[in-house]
Amino acid sequence: SDPAKDPAEVRDLVVIAKGPDMGKTGILIGKYSDGSNNCVVKLDRFMGLREIRVVDNKWVAKRLGEQDPPNTV
């Protein structure tokens, strides 16, 4: 969804829409309330690791539609 019209909230499934991590998917786990306009995204598993990134709120878009559960194996 459009990040400006429908911003992602904590626990939403998201996709990074801009920046060096563009196209990566994950879950929004936190938003900074200090006015920095940043949020924390836990990325989906890649090569056995789940990275955590701090990115600008404008770079994070909600994933719409039915989602496959992340691979937990």
Side-chain angles (χ1 to χ4, degrees):
S1 71
D2 183 2
K5 294 180 183 175
D6 189 15
E9 297 297 326
V10 174
R11 300 187 72 197
D12 281 343
L13 297 176
V14 297
V15 62
I16 308 289
K18 293 182 182 176
D21 294 315
M22 186 170 92
K24 292 185 179 180
T25 58
I27 186 167
L28 184 65
I29 60 173
K31 285 188 164 188
Y32 283 90
S33 59
D34 61 359
S36 65
N37 202 30
N38 288 333
C39 61
V40 182
V41 176
K42 186 176 190 178
L43 298 176
D44 290 340
R45 194 173 301 276
F46 178 71
M47 294 180 62
L49 298 173
R50 291 196 72 180
E51 295 180 70
I52 295 177
R53 295 276 193 237
V54 176
V55 296
D56 192 302
N57 280 339
K58 293 181 268 181
W59 292 7
V60 177
K62 270 199 259 187
R63 288 191 275 173
L64 299 178
E66 236 176 276
Q67 304 297 320
D68 291 331
N71 186 3
T72 57
V73 176

